[in-house]
Amino acid sequence: MDTNLEKSPPHSQHATSCRADEIIDILRNEFYREEFPNFLFFGDNGGLEQIAFDLSKGKPYPIAMIDPIAGAESAVEIASNMTQFVEAIGLEYAERS
């Protein structure tokens, strides 16, 4: 599989998901609503970048890595859909059980 996530530095392959209440807080946050109306944030890479669905591109929504300080134009697609994203970070359902 050829994804930007695999080509990124090793620290970029780390992914942490947000809790549901954190996602709700982001959805209610005026800054995120105004600056990132086409993104649904659900995690981060353990650093400054956040991980989001890019809602502007239609289903299946691609996954993007975004630097919130740099703005929406910093978004880089790292996976074409959630399945590809999960495969790229190495999590398989059986491993999580």
Side-chain angles (χ1 to χ4, degrees), residues 24-57:
I24 291 168
D25 288 344
I26 291 170
L27 290 170
R28 291 179 176 163
N29 184 298
E30 185 176 343
F31 170 76
Y32 282 95
R33 283 197 322 269
E34 289 180 8
E35 298 296 322
F36 305 97
N38 294 317
F39 294 97
L40 175 60
F41 292 91
F42 66 88
D44 62 49
N45 70 347
L48 297 177
E49 292 87 9
Q50 294 189 339
I51 303 168
F53 289 103
D54 184 347
L55 306 177
S56 70
K57 299 194 177 176

Side-chain angles (χ1 to χ4, degrees), residues 16-26 41-43:
T16 304
S17 62
C18 295
R19 296 185 328 256
D21 63 323
E22 293 171 324
I23 294 171
I24 291 168
D25 288 344
I26 291 170
F41 292 91
F42 66 88

Side-chain angles (χ1 to χ4, degrees), residues 74-89:
S74 71
V76 175
E77 185 175 313
I78 58 172
S80 62
N81 56 51
M82 183 55 92
T83 300
Q84 187 183 46
F85 174 72
V86 170
E87 290 172 353
I89 61 172

